[in-house]
Amino acid sequence: IAPTSNGTAVDEYLTHFGIPLGLLAAAALWWLIREGSARRTSVLRAALLGASASLAGYCLGNVAFTRALSTTTALDWPGLLTLLVLGTLAPFAALALVGGDSGHLELLSGVFLLNTTAGLLVALRPTAGITLVPALLLSIAALRLRKDPTRAFLALMAAAGLWITLVVDLVLVVDDLFGSPWERMNTVFKFYLEAWLLFSVVAGAVSAWLLRSLWQAATERTPATLGIISRRATLIRPLSTGLRVVSDRIVPYSLLGVSIVLLASGLIYPILGTPQRLAQRMPTTPASGSLDGYAWMRGAWITNTLGEPVTFTDDYYAIQWLREHAPGNAVIVEASIGPYRGNGARISSATGLPAVLGWDRHQRQQRQTPEIDRRLLDVRELYSTTDLEHKRWLLRRYRVRYVIVGDVERRWRINPPFAGAQAKAEPYASEAGLAAFEQLEGTLLRRVFQSGSTVIYEVLPFPSLPPTSGADGP
C-alpha cells in the first residue's frame, strides 16, 4: 500500500458514478425537505455558515499544500462547487438525522468542523474531499436507522461505496505499474467496480421510493413547505418566513423531472452503446445469438505490424481437439506475446490448460519474481533455436506435453526490448526454429493434430491417444 501521487478528477468521478449518485442525491434532498418541513431554523444563516466553513478549509488547504509541496495547486472548479453545495446542505442533513434543531451548538460545530476538513482535503484530492461529508453522514444514518433494517442497510451500502472511492483516491495497491502515470489503474478499476455495484443497487431501491413519493406529493393539493425549521432558535435566529410555503407542485415536479432524466440517461446507454460494441466485433462473429464464445475465430484474421495476416480458423479447431482429448493438467506451450496483442494466450485461455507463460505483464502484477522474465525468454528461445538438444531440455524443464505452432507463432512480430528483441518488427520465432520441431518427430515429438497451418505436437514419452496425423479440422 502506498499514497497516491494524484487522484480522480471530479468530472471523471461523476462520469463514472453520476447517474446513481444523482438519484441518491435527489432522494436525499427530497427526504431532507420532508423531514425539515416540521422544523424551524434560519435556512440562510445555516447555509452560509456551512458553505463558509467549506470554503475556509479549501483556502487554508490551498495555502498549506502549496507551501508544503512547493507547487501551485490548480483550482478545481467542479470540486469546489460540489464542495460548496455539500457544505450548504450538511448542517440540515445532520439536524434531520439526529432529530435536533438549530440550538444544537455542539452538533453544528461538529458539522462545520467536518466541512472545514472536507475543504482541506479537496485542495489536495478533490474527489476524496467531496465524498467525505456524505460518507460520514450516511454512516451516521445507518446507525440512527438501525431499527429500520431496510433503510439502514441501504444507507450502509451507499456509505461503503463512498468510503471505497475516498480511500482509493488517497492510497493504492502497489504493483508493477507503480511510479508510472498508470499506477492507480488496477486499484481504481478493481475497487470502483465494487463501488459501482453498491451505488447501483442502492439507487435502484431508492428510485422506486423516490418516484412514488414525488408523484404522490406532486398530485396532492396540500401545500408543502421547504426548510428545516427549529422549534426553538437559540443559536440562529430564524428568518421571518424561513423560505416557507413552496408550491406543492414545483419542488416535487422538479425533482421528479431530474430523476426521470437520470434514469433515462442510464437506459440510453444500452440503446446507443450496444451498436458501438457490436461494431468492434470480428466480421466472423455469428449474427444470431450463440453460446460459443470462440465462434468468431472461424474465418477471423488480424494483421501483424507488417500487414501480414494472422488467421485463427485453424486455432479454433485445435482448441476443440484439446478440449476433447487433453487431460486437465497437461502443460502447453504457445507464443507468449504479451497481453491484449494478437489474441495472446489464445489456446490456454480457451481450454483452461496451464501454459508455460501466458500474459507476462499480468503475472508480474501477481508475483514479483525473475522466473517470469526467464520463462518469457525461454518460450521464445524454444520457438527460435535450431539446437535440438536445447529444445529437448526446455520442453523437459517445463514438463510440456503439447507444443502449439500456429499463425501467431509463425507470423507475430515484436519490438525491443520485449522478450529480448533487438530490432523493430522482429519475428517472434525463426522459421528454422519452427522447422526444427519437425526434426524431433519420432524421437521427442509426434504430431497429434493438424488443421491448415496449426499443428499440435505431443511430447514423448507421455502416454497418449492414437495420433490424428493428416486429419484436418472440421
Side-chain angles (χ1 to χ4, degrees):
I1 304 296
T4 59
S5 57
N6 57 71
T8 302
V10 173
D11 57 340
E12 294 176 355
Y13 183 80
L14 294 179
T15 299
H16 285 298
F17 303 117
I19 292 177
L21 288 182
L23 290 167
L24 293 178
L29 183 58
W30 178 236
W31 169 80
L32 194 56
I33 292 171
R34 292 181 61 185
E35 289 294 311
S37 62
R39 307 183 192 283
R40 296 179 58 85
T41 189
S42 175
V43 174
L44 182 58
R45 291 187 181 184
L48 286 176
L49 284 173
S52 298
S54 299
L55 184 59
Y58 180 78
C59 295
L60 180 61
N62 260 300
V63 173
F65 293 129
T66 298
R67 291 186 176 182
L69 303 176
S70 300
T71 182
T72 303
T73 305
L75 181 63
D76 188 312
W77 281 109
L80 179 57
L81 293 176
T82 306
L83 173 71
L84 293 177
V85 171
L86 292 171
T88 300
L89 296 176
F92 308 131
L95 290 171
L97 280 174
V98 301
D101 55 40
S102 61
H104 281 70
L105 177 60
E106 298 83 358
L107 176 63
L108 291 179
S109 297
V111 173
F112 298 148
L113 180 60
L114 174 62
N115 285 359
T116 304
T117 304
L120 282 166
L121 193 54
V122 165
L124 182 65
R125 295 286 184 272
T127 296
I130 65 171
T131 53
L132 176 61
V133 173
L136 190 55
L137 291 177
L138 281 167
S139 300
I140 295 172
L143 295 174
R144 297 284 298 179
L145 296 170
R146 58 185 179 275
K147 293 183 178 179
D148 186 346
T150 300
R151 290 198 294 170
F153 186 61
L154 291 175
L156 182 62
M157 291 176 68
L162 289 169
W163 284 119
I164 287 172
T165 55
L166 187 155
V167 172
V168 166
D169 227 45
L170 300 177
V171 297
L172 56 83
V173 178
V174 176
D175 58 18
D176 67 315
L177 297 174
F178 185 67
S180 74
W182 307 281
E183 64 181 8
R184 296 181 64 234
M185 182 180 71
N186 288 302
T187 302
V188 166
F189 87 72
K190 291 290 196 308
F191 285 96
Y192 269 28
L193 176 61
E194 310 306 323
W196 170 260
L197 293 174
L198 291 168
F199 290 148
S200 299
V201 170
V202 178
V206 166
S207 296
W209 167 83
L210 177 63
L211 295 176
R212 182 177 64 252
S213 179
L214 287 172
W215 180 254
Q216 290 174 351
T219 53
E220 286 177 356
R221 294 187 177 275
T222 21
T225 59
L226 173 64
I228 299 180
I229 316 297
S230 67
R231 298 187 186 87
R232 50 184 182 83
T234 59
L235 174 65
I236 305 173
R237 184 174 59 84
L239 298 175
S240 56
T241 57
L243 297 181
R244 301 170 55 193
V245 193
V246 176
S247 168
D248 60 337
R249 286 186 173 85
I250 293 178
V251 173
Y253 271 133
S254 298
L255 287 176
L256 185 61
V258 169
S259 302
I260 291 174
V261 168
L262 288 170
L263 285 170
S265 300
L267 295 174
I268 286 174
Y269 177 81
I271 299 173
L272 300 181
T274 301
Q276 300 299 320
R277 301 287 79 77
L278 291 176
Q280 294 178 343
R281 291 186 172 187
M282 289 284 187
T284 52
T285 299
S288 58
S290 171
L291 295 179
D292 186 353
Y294 287 90
W296 65 270
M297 296 180 72
R298 289 177 290 187
W301 58 276
I302 59 175
T303 58
N304 61 16
T305 54
L306 299 183
E308 300 168 337
V310 177
T311 64
F312 299 112
T313 301
D314 300 317
D315 289 344
Y316 175 83
Y317 297 125
I319 289 168
Q320 304 308 314
W321 187 90
L322 287 169
R323 284 177 171 175
E324 294 177 10
H325 300 103
N329 63 346
V331 177
I332 69 169
V333 62
E334 59 182 321
S336 181
I337 58 176
Y340 312 113
R341 294 174 178 84
N343 200 20
R346 70 222 189 267
I347 306 298
S348 60
S349 63
T351 60
L353 296 174
V356 176
L357 182 64
W359 288 11
D360 64 295
R361 194 62 184 263
H362 280 197
Q363 288 295 323
R364 289 189 182 91
Q365 291 169 359
Q366 299 173 37
R367 52 185 67 84
Q368 297 292 329
T369 171
E371 176 70 15
I372 297 170
D373 288 325
R374 183 169 64 180
R375 288 186 176 226
L376 182 65
L377 295 173
D378 282 350
V379 171
R380 189 186 180 203
E381 178 69 10
L382 176 66
Y383 283 104
S384 300
T385 185
T386 57
D387 186 334
L388 301 185
E389 285 304 313
H390 192 46
K391 279 188 186 296
R392 185 191 305 272
W393 181 81
L394 288 171
L395 291 171
R396 296 301 189 201
R397 175 181 183 179
Y398 294 110
R399 302 189 180 191
V400 174
R401 177 149 186 180
Y402 295 108
V403 180
I404 311 298
V405 179
D407 267 14
V408 173
E409 288 73 24
R410 299 178 192 277
R411 297 184 178 179
W412 196 251
R413 304 275 174 159
I414 58 176
N415 294 317
F418 182 78
Q422 301 296 318
K424 289 186 176 181
E426 186 172 297
Y428 178 82
S430 69
E431 292 184 11
L434 294 175
F437 284 119
E438 299 177 6
Q439 300 176 38
L440 291 172
E441 287 189 73
T443 56
L444 179 66
L445 303 176
R446 71 167 180 164
R447 191 175 307 204
V448 292
F449 173 87
Q450 181 169 3
S451 175
S453 61
T454 298
V455 178
I456 300 177
Y457 296 102
E458 183 181 29
V459 180
L460 303 174
F462 289 102
S464 62
L465 295 168
T468 57
S469 56
D472 290 338

